[in-house]
Amino acid sequence: MTSMPPYRVALLAFPNIRAFDVSVITEVWGTDRTDRGVPPFELRRCAADRAPVPMPGGLSLAPDRTLAWLDRADLVIVPGLVDPLLPVPPPVLDALRRAHARGVPVAALCAGAFALAQAGLLDGHRAITHWTLTDLLRRQHPRVSVVPDALFIDASADAGADAAPGAPLWTSAGTAAGIDLCLHLVRTHHGAETAATIARSMVTAPFRTGTQAQFIERPAAVRDRDADALAGVREYALRHLHEPLTVGALAARAGMSARSFARHFTATTGVTPARWLLDQRLAAAQRLLERTGLAMPEIARRAGFGSEVTMRQHFAARLSTSPRDYRAAFSPSYSGS
C-alpha cells in the first residue's frame, strides 16, 4: 500500500514576524500526530536565505528552505507582523505573488494581512485583521474591503469586480483567531476529525463560533451578568441538538424574553442564536459522517436538521459540498455504498 504523501506547508519567515504566530503554525503542522490518525504534514520555514530571522523577545527563527520551496507547497502561511507599517522584503512579496498565481491557497494571521495587501493580493477582496488595526488597514490599502468583525474569512469569496480570480486568500483577526484559522484550514483540507484531534492535543476548541466583535473593548456589565446563564443554555442546546430547539424556548430557559436573549447572546458570542445553532448542527453532522456509518436520514435527525433535504441544503450553502461527498472525502471507512 502506497503511503500518503505529506501535505506541504510553507511558513514565510522574514524580519518583523510574530513569535506567537510562528508557534501556532508550528504546533498545528509541525508536530507528528500520525499515530493518532492525523495525515502527515511537512512544514518548512522559508526565507530569502538561510540566515536566522530575528523575532521579538530575543528569539530567532532558523529557516530550513529558501523561498523557492513555495513552488512545491500546498499551502502558504504568513505569520502576523509586529509592526504592520514596516515594508515586507520585496523577495517575499514576489514569492507570495508567484504562489498565489500558481493556485496555492495563501493564509495570513492577524497583521499578516498587511503583507498580502502590500503584495497586491487583497485588492478588490475582503480581508480582516486585529480589530485595533482595521482602520489602519483600510487607510493604508483603500482597495481592500476590510471586514471589521470576523474571526477569519476567505478573502477571495464574494470578491469585488476589480479583483483578479485566484486561489483562496485567508485572513484572520488577532492572536487567538490565528489558531481558529489554522484549525479551519486543517478542517477544510483534512476533515473535522483531524482538526478535532489536533485541537484536543492543543487543549483548545476545535471550532469557535462568533466574531471578534465579542472581544472589542466596550461596556459589558450586562453581558457579564448574563454570561453564566447563556453558557448554561448553550450547554443544554448542545445536549439536545436533535430536538426542535427554538430561540423562544432557549430564551425561556435563560429566564429572558426572546428579544433580550437574542441581544445578549449575540453580544456574548458574536453570532445570533439561530446562526450558532446551525453551526453546531453542521459540526455534529460532520462528526457523525466521519465517525459512523449511519444513514443520512438518521444523521439529519440526530444533528437536528429534521430531514436529509434540509441538511443537504445547509451543507451546500455553508460548506459547498453535500453530506455524501463529505463522507466520501473524510470518512476512512467509507465504501461508496
Side-chain angles (χ1 to χ4, degrees):
M1 182 177 179
T2 304
S3 61
M4 179 186 300
Y7 184 77
R8 298 180 295 267
V9 180
L11 187 164
L12 271 187
F14 53 93
N16 195 32
I17 58 174
R18 284 165 34 97
F20 178 87
D21 297 323
V22 169
S23 298
V24 168
I25 296 165
T26 303
E27 182 64 28
V28 172
W29 286 286
T31 301
D32 185 357
R33 300 183 178 92
T34 53
D35 60 336
R36 281 170 274 176
V38 174
F41 300 136
E42 181 180 358
L43 175 67
R44 296 297 181 182
R45 301 175 297 277
C46 303
D49 54 46
R50 300 296 183 92
V53 175
M55 296 190 297
L59 303 174
S60 65
L61 183 68
D64 58 0
R65 293 293 186 275
T66 65
L67 295 174
W69 197 80
L70 269 65
D71 291 338
R72 303 175 55 194
D74 300 304
L75 173 68
V76 174
I77 304 280
V78 182
L81 308 182
V82 178
D83 184 349
L85 293 180
L86 287 180
V88 176
V92 173
L93 298 179
D94 290 340
L96 279 170
R97 296 185 190 107
R98 288 196 305 271
H100 184 252
R102 191 169 63 85
V104 179
V106 175
L109 309 188
C110 194
F114 285 79
L116 301 192
Q118 286 186 40
L121 298 183
L122 295 180
D123 288 351
H125 290 296
R126 300 161 66 243
I128 186 63
T129 188
H130 192 285
W131 62 270
T132 62
L133 299 174
T134 53
D135 288 341
L136 180 62
L137 181 59
R138 191 178 288 112
R139 289 195 304 270
Q140 292 291 316
H141 302 281
R143 296 186 64 189
V144 179
S145 178
V146 181
V147 178
D149 60 0
L151 287 179
F152 56 82
I153 58 173
D154 179 355
S156 62
D158 303 319
D162 60 339
L169 287 164
W170 291 96
T171 54
S172 78
T175 314
I179 301 175
D180 297 320
L181 175 54
C182 289
L183 290 174
H184 177 77
L185 293 170
V186 171
R187 187 182 306 111
T188 299
H189 292 285
H190 307 287
E193 182 65 17
T194 294
T197 298
I198 295 174
R200 283 193 294 270
S201 71
M202 295 173 64
V203 196
T204 189
F207 179 73
R208 286 197 305 164
T209 60
T211 71
Q212 66 174 332
Q214 60 192 299
F215 305 109
I216 296 175
E217 294 175 355
R218 57 166 63 89
V222 173
R223 185 176 66 215
D224 291 343
R225 187 176 65 238
D226 295 327
D228 288 345
L230 298 183
V233 170
R234 291 196 297 272
E235 183 179 346
Y236 172 84
L238 289 173
R239 294 197 307 268
H240 296 82
L241 283 177
H242 59 284
E243 298 177 4
L245 299 171
T246 65
V247 174
L250 295 178
R253 192 167 191 86
M256 302 179 186
S257 68
R259 179 176 297 181
S260 178
F261 173 76
R263 183 172 65 253
H264 294 318
F265 191 102
T266 303
T268 301
T269 66
V271 291
T272 65
R275 171 65 180 267
W276 183 86
L277 271 174
L278 176 57
D279 287 340
Q280 303 311 312
R281 283 178 166 145
L282 283 168
Q286 287 175 283
R287 288 192 297 270
L288 290 169
L289 287 166
E290 292 187 24
R291 301 177 185 179
T292 76
L294 293 171
M296 293 296 171
E298 178 62 14
I299 289 177
R301 186 193 69 79
R302 293 193 185 192
F305 287 110
S307 73
E308 181 182 352
V309 171
T310 301
M311 180 173 71
R312 189 163 58 244
Q313 290 171 342
H314 285 300
F315 262 70
R318 295 292 299 281
L319 304 176
S320 300
T321 189
S322 69
R324 198 169 301 278
D325 287 345
Y326 184 90
R327 171 176 271 172
F330 296 120
S331 176
S333 60
Y334 179 73
S335 63
S337 57

